[in-house]
Amino acid sequence: MNRLTFVFLVLGIGLALLIINHDSGQTFGINNEQFGEVIYLLPIAGLLSVGILAGNRGGLPTALRQLAIWLVIILGLVAVYVYRYDFQRFGDRLLAGLIPGRAVVATTMTGEQEVILNKTMSGHFETNAQVDGSTIHMLVDTGASSVVLSHSDAQAAGINVDDLAYTVTVMTANGRTSAAPVRLSEIAIGPIVRRNVSALVAQNGQLDQSLLGMTFLSTLGSLQMQTDELRLRDR
């Protein structure tokens, strides 16, 4: 049995045991999380032992060199495992900076989830929201009393804009216009989901970008701005 086969065998058996004992929370009397860490380290220890034994054939200098190489590999793997969540958060924030509107979902010290939005190059906070199952790019606007969809975004969300009554007077960047009141079944940003949200639909050509206004934002547990970040937390 070669080394790679040994590693896959140990990992496969460990994974199977964790799946079987998922509901009980323990494997061989050990907490499943701790058992998973043991399974993760066993192949490393086995490969280290093989490397040292192989190095002994070439004398002490070769053995020490093999030991040093394996220690560096182990420290690297342990560092990746210990800081895996930090690496994930770093990757999420990097992507959020490169892709406007991409929300980062983080877990706070108290175990709560929050959505982090990074300021775009335009100086605004924007996000991709799921509106009735459709992805709508929206500008976060605390000055807007309501969620406001542009004419095209409302169509994308499945709203029949031809049957709407544009009876509500609103002020936009283009001046005074009329909008139609609607009820959205669902708006979701990451894990934050709100249903039956009051909103408005702007007339065609009157709004360039949909607005995530206070009929959604006021339902949040907290809305906190920190320099170039906007943190949204559920109740």
Side-chain angles (χ1 to χ4, degrees):
M1 181 183 296
N2 59 41
R3 303 176 193 178
L4 188 59
T5 303
F6 170 75
V7 170
F8 283 133
L9 181 62
V10 172
L11 292 176
I13 293 173
L15 179 61
L17 289 172
L18 286 172
I19 293 174
I20 293 171
N21 297 300
H22 177 267
D23 293 334
S24 65
Q26 290 188 335
T27 302
F28 298 132
I30 305 174
N31 181 278
N32 278 345
E33 184 174 350
Q34 295 175 337
F35 181 77
E37 293 176 357
V38 171
I39 293 299
Y40 172 80
L41 293 174
L42 271 178
I44 299 175
L47 291 175
L48 176 61
S49 301
V50 172
I52 293 174
L53 290 174
N56 284 335
R57 299 172 187 171
L60 182 60
T62 303
L64 291 176
R65 186 168 61 253
Q66 292 283 349
L67 179 61
I69 291 172
W70 280 107
L71 284 176
V72 170
I73 293 173
I74 289 173
L75 288 174
L77 291 172
V78 170
V80 170
Y81 179 79
V82 171
Y83 294 103
R84 61 193 185 280
Y85 298 120
D86 295 303
F87 290 142
Q88 182 180 356
R89 284 193 291 268
F90 172 77
D92 286 338
R93 294 194 179 191
L94 179 62
L95 287 175
L98 295 174
I99 306 174
R102 189 180 190 277
V104 177
V105 180
T107 303
T108 66
M109 296 293 291
T110 58
E112 298 175 310
Q113 286 188 319
E114 64 181 5
V115 174
I116 303 174
L117 304 178
N118 289 273
K119 188 176 290 185
T120 63
M121 296 295 292
S122 64
H124 300 293
F125 293 105
E126 301 175 16
T127 185
N128 292 326
Q130 293 297 316
V131 179
D132 290 352
S134 298
T135 301
I136 304 296
H137 193 74
M138 308 185 78
L139 173 71
V140 180
D141 188 355
T142 56
S145 59
S146 175
V147 171
V148 185
L149 298 180
S150 68
H151 194 267
S152 58
D153 284 343
Q155 287 181 310
I159 297 173
N160 188 347
V161 294
D162 295 329
D163 291 341
L164 298 179
Y166 296 88
T167 58
V168 180
T169 301
V170 294
M171 289 297 299
T172 69
N174 298 323
R176 187 183 299 273
T177 185
S178 297
V182 294
R183 281 279 172 180
L184 302 176
S185 299
E186 182 178 284
I187 298 181
I189 302 175
I192 302 176
V193 181
R194 293 293 182 269
R195 295 180 174 84
N196 194 29
V197 180
S198 175
L200 297 172
V201 174
Q203 293 189 58
N204 192 18
Q206 294 299 311
L207 187 66
D208 296 329
Q209 186 175 19
S210 295
L211 307 178
L212 189 68
M214 293 306 293
T215 49
F216 177 88
L217 299 176
S218 63
T219 68
L220 300 175
S222 67
L223 179 69
Q224 186 177 19
M225 186 180 298
Q226 298 179 350
T227 314
D228 291 334
E229 292 182 345
L230 183 66
R231 294 174 177 263
L232 314 178
R233 190 175 299 181
D234 206 346
R235 291 190 183 278

